[in-house]
């Protein structure tokens, strides 16, 4: 076999290709769960995420327990303050990863847990 037979035809980014890409709702939901877990510092298995259409945008609803300490906020801040500070971050990271436009992020705190970092020690 010659060396030319093993080389790529062209750089994939240089030629537009016909077709489409679909990302199913389950993949988007899993991404939202992972992003919210990362932002709040909890295990992804503790997070539930729901997506809905909001006039062509995605509205995210996230249910999760809030860690008492760690990456979730500063000492002395209220639960409400801590959640408000992180909501936009969830939407920005989700949009950056998926390319989806997010209209809103709603967060429901379902309990209080130790942070993921504290549980590892």
């Amino acid at each position: 076999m010659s060396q030319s037979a093993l080389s790529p035809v062209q750089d994939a980014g240089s030629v537009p290709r016909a077709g489409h890409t679909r990302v199913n709702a389950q993949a988007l939901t899993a991404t939202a769960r992972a992003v919210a877990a990362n932002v709040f510092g909890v295990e992804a298995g503790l997070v539930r995420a729901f997506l809905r259409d909001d006039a062509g945008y995605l509205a995210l609803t996230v249910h999760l327990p809030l860690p008492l300490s760690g990456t979730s906020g500063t000492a002395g801040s209220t639960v409400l303050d801590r959640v408000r500070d992180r909501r936009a971050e969830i939407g920005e990271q989700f949009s950056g990863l998926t390319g989806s436009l997010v209209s809103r992020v709603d967060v429901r705190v379902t309990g209080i847990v130790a942070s993921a970092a504290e549980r590892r020690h």
Side-chain angles (χ1 to χ4, degrees):
M1 206 176 241
S2 72
Q3 186 68 357
S4 62
L6 296 176
S7 64
V9 177
Q10 288 186 2
D11 179 19
S14 65
V15 178
R17 302 278 187 224
H20 61 273
T21 302
R22 292 185 189 172
V23 179
N24 70 18
Q26 185 176 2
L28 291 173
T29 301
T31 302
R33 287 177 61 210
V35 167
N38 183 53
V39 167
F40 280 95
V42 298
E43 293 178 14
L46 299 175
V47 179
R48 291 184 301 161
F50 307 92
L51 309 173
R52 69 179 191 283
D53 178 55
D54 186 18
Y57 295 89
L58 277 180
L60 305 178
T61 300
V62 178
H63 297 192
L64 53 75
L66 190 66
L68 281 174
S69 62
T71 61
S72 60
T74 59
S77 63
T78 68
V79 169
L80 189 56
D81 290 339
R82 292 164 64 187
V83 172
R84 281 183 182 154
D85 291 345
R86 298 287 197 242
R87 262 193 334 221
E89 194 174 338
I90 292 171
E92 290 167 5
Q93 285 186 22
F94 181 83
S95 290
L97 288 170
T98 65
S100 300
L101 299 175
V102 176
S103 62
R104 64 181 298 135
V105 176
D106 297 319
V107 177
R108 177 174 290 179
V109 177
T110 60
I112 303 293
V113 296
S115 70
E118 290 171 344
R119 282 191 300 274
R120 279 185 239 133
H121 291 113

